[in-house]
C-alpha cells in the first residue's frame, strides 16, 4: 500500500499511532507559518491535539488527493477546516527515506 493511502487512512480514522508508524526516527516538520523546524516528538504532541480536535468535530479534513508519489517524495493537497471557522487549502510535501516520512513541509492558503 502506498504511503499516501496509509497516511490518508490514518488521518480519516484519527489514528495517531498509524501516523507515527509512518514517521522516520529522524523526522522533522517545517511549519509553513514560521519556516521553523519541529522535531518528531513535538510534531506528535501537535498532531495528537489536532486529532483530538477532529474527534470533537472542531477540525475536519474536508478533502485530500494525492498529487504525486514515488519512493522519494509524496505530495498531496488537502482542504481543512479549523476550530475558528476558517478553511485552508494545504499543499503537503513529504520527503521519504526507506519507506518512512523523514521530512514534511506544508504551504497553506486561506479559502472561503
Amino acid at each position: 500500500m502506498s504511503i499516501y493511502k496509509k497516511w490518508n487512512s490514518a488521518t480519516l480514522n484519527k489514528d495517531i499511532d498509524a501516523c507515527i508508524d509512518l514517521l522516520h526516527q529522524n523526522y522533522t516538520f517545517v511549519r509553513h507559518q514560521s519556516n521553523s523546524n519541529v522535531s518528531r516528538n513535538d510534531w506528535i504532541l501537535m498532531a495528537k491535539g489536532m486529532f483530538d480536535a477532529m474527534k470533537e468535530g472542531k477540525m475536519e479534513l474536508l478533502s485530500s488527493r494525492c498529487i504525486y508519489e514515488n519512493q522519494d517524495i509524496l505530495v498531496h493537497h488537502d482542504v481543512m477546516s479549523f476550530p475558528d471557522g476558517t478553511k485552508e487549502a494545504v499543499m503537503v510535501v513529504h520527503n521519504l527515506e526507506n519507506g518512512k516520512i523523514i521530512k514534511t513541509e506544508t504551504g497553506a492558503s486561506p479559502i472561503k
Side-chain angles (χ1 to χ4, degrees), residues 36-47:
S36 60
N37 288 326
V38 176
S39 71
R40 182 180 192 272
N41 289 337
D42 288 343
W43 181 88
I44 290 168
L45 292 174
M46 181 177 65

Side-chain angles (χ1 to χ4, degrees), residues 1-110:
M1 180 184 292
S2 76
I3 299 291
Y4 172 76
K5 287 181 181 176
K6 291 176 185 177
W7 185 265
N8 195 51
S9 175
T11 302
L12 291 173
N13 291 316
K14 301 160 192 73
D15 184 350
I16 189 66
D17 292 326
C19 283
I20 293 169
D21 286 343
L22 295 171
L23 301 180
H24 191 281
Q25 282 303 111
N26 297 323
Y27 175 80
T28 58
F29 175 81
V30 180
R31 296 184 60 88
H32 62 267
Q33 300 96 334
S34 62
N35 199 35
S36 60
N37 288 326
V38 176
S39 71
R40 182 180 192 272
N41 289 337
D42 288 343
W43 181 88
I44 290 168
L45 292 174
M46 181 177 65
K48 284 180 179 180
M50 290 174 56
F51 277 44
D52 287 344
M54 290 171 72
K55 289 175 185 174
E56 295 168 7
K58 296 178 181 175
M59 188 172 164
E60 185 178 3
L61 175 64
L62 300 173
S63 67
S64 181
R65 64 186 173 100
C66 182
I67 304 297
Y68 183 79
E69 181 176 9
N70 68 19
Q71 71 276 5
D72 299 317
I73 194 166
L74 164 59
V75 180
H76 60 95
H77 182 267
D78 298 342
V79 176
M80 302 285 304
S81 67
F82 296 94
D84 64 0
T86 61
K87 292 181 186 176
E88 291 183 356
V90 184
M91 184 65 68
V92 183
V93 178
H94 300 289
N95 294 97
L96 309 176
E97 185 174 298
N98 298 322
K100 299 279 187 174
I101 301 169
I102 192 162
K103 181 180 177 184
T104 301
E105 293 192 53
T106 62
S109 298

